[in-house]
Amino acid sequence: MDTLAIAAEADRLRDLFVTHGAQVVDADILLPADTLLDLYGEDIRGRAYLTSDPMGGEVVLRPDFTVPVVQKHMESRAEPARYTYAGKVFRKQDNDPARAREYAQVGFEVFDGRDPAGADACVFAAIAKALDGLPVRAAMGDIGILTAAVTGLKTSDTRKAALMRHIWRPRKFKALLDRFGGRTPPPPSRVALLAKADPLAAATQVQGLRSLTEVQNRIDALRADAQTPPISAEELDLIDELLAMRETAPHVLSRFRDIAVDMPAISKAVLALSGRLAALESRGIDLDNLEFEGSYGRTSLEYYDGFVFGFYATEIAGLPPIATGGRYDALTARLGQGRAAPAVGGVVRPDLVLSLQGAG
């Protein structure tokens, strides 16, 4: 595709976000790897291009803009604030060589804790406007509802922490949920290990890379877990219902309110969803054609912790998402050393926008 055309489209998108009050910012192409990679999920860490800088240690080719933009914002301490940017990002595509290893992104980030629902709606509506007239469909979800449900489970803190770690890995999360609920038995090897009076009777001082103390601590944790009562069938069914939900926005809100009667832990998150939908509608978003997916966003960047969304081509099969985004309040707290700056943002692929022009 013509690089000049992509650059012109990137400029158009960035200028559109400027009209929404965004300040133009940039980020270095080479970024410190030690801090950044800890903030990304496994997908991005596994696809990052790493190299070394004699003056700065290990560095990474910019895999996205959000984290460095958040770092700049947390240094400035300006709030509210809005930013936009345009430039290339770089990701390995070992599992799909046909996909681009470097491509342009144009983003819009809003830092505003006064009205989270309004900020969510602002970013979504701005991107929807940028894609107006193109053959795309929108989808949204809310990681915050699932995390609230997990937090409210009547089980041990250890089990809840394990589930929280794997929210972004659907298969592992489901396997843990089934085991903690007694749907599937523990591995036979674990049963055999815990049946021994002294599993370390014949052990040497070190087992692989772990000391005997570390191994014993692990065995103690497994024994404690084995004595923990299973998560109730009722709670498992409610989690299953949350994850399987796929409805238009107005219908999903009604269903969530029904679930909250039996799972009060999600009530606050459902109230936030209600406010977000109202804010979206006030900005002209057609809620009747906005699809909500209960498991949406669970295979994307792990720093999203609330509202998540994406726009997808309807006339050309096989294209990556045209635009994606979401809320990442916890990320700002980590980069701000405990000082959070509630934030939401999204990115658009200008090359994919050009691919859609004239389609349908």
Side-chain angles (χ1 to χ4, degrees):
M1 186 175 291
D2 186 345
T3 56
L4 292 178
I6 294 174
E9 179 61 20
D11 289 344
R12 181 191 76 85
L13 293 166
R14 185 191 57 205
D15 291 346
L16 175 62
F17 297 140
V18 169
T19 67
H20 288 273
Q23 171 189 351
V24 177
V25 293
D26 197 6
D28 293 338
I29 289 180
L30 285 177
L31 301 167
D34 54 351
T35 301
L36 290 182
L37 291 184
D38 285 343
L39 300 170
Y40 292 111
E42 287 183 354
D43 178 58
I44 296 300
R45 288 196 296 269
R47 294 165 59 198
Y49 286 101
L50 293 169
T51 187
S52 58
D53 180 351
M55 302 298 294
E58 195 172 38
V59 293
V60 59
L61 277 173
R62 183 175 62 208
D64 91 332
F65 277 86
T66 299
V67 171
V69 168
V70 171
Q71 287 180 310
K72 288 188 176 184
H73 173 77
M74 300 310 288
E75 292 170 0
S76 73
R77 295 180 176 267
E79 192 176 340
R82 298 182 178 190
Y83 305 104
T84 185
Y85 48 81
K88 284 189 175 182
V89 297
F90 306 85
R91 299 180 189 176
K92 296 177 184 176
Q93 303 290 359
D94 295 339
N95 295 327
D96 189 355
R99 295 183 67 173
R101 290 170 172 77
E102 60 179 87
Y103 51 86
Q105 273 188 353
V106 183
F108 180 36
E109 314 287 338
V110 175
F111 296 78
D112 190 347
R114 302 169 305 175
D115 179 15
D120 289 348
C122 171
V123 171
F124 184 92
I127 291 178
K129 182 177 180 181
L131 305 180
D132 188 38
L134 297 179
V136 297
R137 70 171 183 88
M140 63 178 286
D142 193 335
I143 299 293
I145 291 178
L146 180 56
T147 57
V150 170
T151 301
L153 290 172
K154 298 179 181 68
T155 190
S156 68
D157 289 342
T158 300
R159 284 185 168 182
K160 286 190 281 190
L163 289 167
M164 290 290 282
R165 281 196 305 273
H166 293 289
I167 277 178
W168 290 270
R169 302 167 188 86
R171 289 184 181 178
K172 179 66 173 178
F173 181 88
K174 182 66 164 58
L176 283 175
L177 197 64
D178 287 345
R179 182 161 62 81
F180 293 159
R183 288 173 170 171
T184 57
S189 58
R190 181 175 302 178
V191 174
L193 174 71
L194 298 182
K196 297 178 180 179
D198 185 2
L200 295 181
T204 60
Q205 285 301 109
V206 177
Q207 298 292 299
L209 298 177
R210 297 183 180 181
S211 68
L212 285 183
T213 299
E214 291 173 322
V215 174
Q216 184 61 60
N217 289 340
R218 175 59 177 161
I219 292 173
D220 292 343
L222 292 175
R223 289 193 189 282
D225 183 72
Q227 295 168 5
T228 302
I231 297 172
S232 71
E234 291 77 14
E235 286 188 310
L236 292 180
D237 289 343
L238 290 172
I239 294 285
D240 286 345
E241 187 173 356
L242 291 178
L243 294 176
M245 197 173 295
R246 187 163 184 161
E247 298 270 7
T248 57
H251 291 96
V252 81
L253 183 59
S254 176
R255 290 186 63 189
F256 274 133
R257 285 171 172 159
D258 290 341
I259 294 173
V261 173
D262 297 313
M263 185 175 270
I266 71 169
S267 297
K268 185 176 179 180
V270 173
L271 183 62
L273 172 61
S274 176
R276 183 183 310 125
L277 294 179
L280 286 167
E281 189 170 35
S282 73
R283 285 167 172 77
I285 301 300
D286 181 7
L287 298 185
D288 290 331
N289 287 309
L290 179 56
E291 193 171 80
F292 186 103
E293 300 174 16
S295 204
Y296 185 85
R298 293 178 62 212
T299 56
S300 58
L301 296 179
E302 291 182 21
Y303 54 63
Y304 290 142
D305 55 11
F307 172 51
V308 283
F309 66 88
F311 289 81
Y312 301 85
T314 58
E315 302 293 335
I316 301 178
L319 283 185
I322 312 304
T324 57
R327 177 160 289 278
Y328 49 89
D329 295 349
L331 175 64
T332 68
R334 290 182 64 184
L335 289 173
Q337 298 180 336
R339 184 184 70 86
V344 60
V347 294
V348 184
R349 290 268 304 264
D351 59 326
L352 299 181
V353 171
L354 290 177
S355 296
L356 294 182
Q357 290 178 357

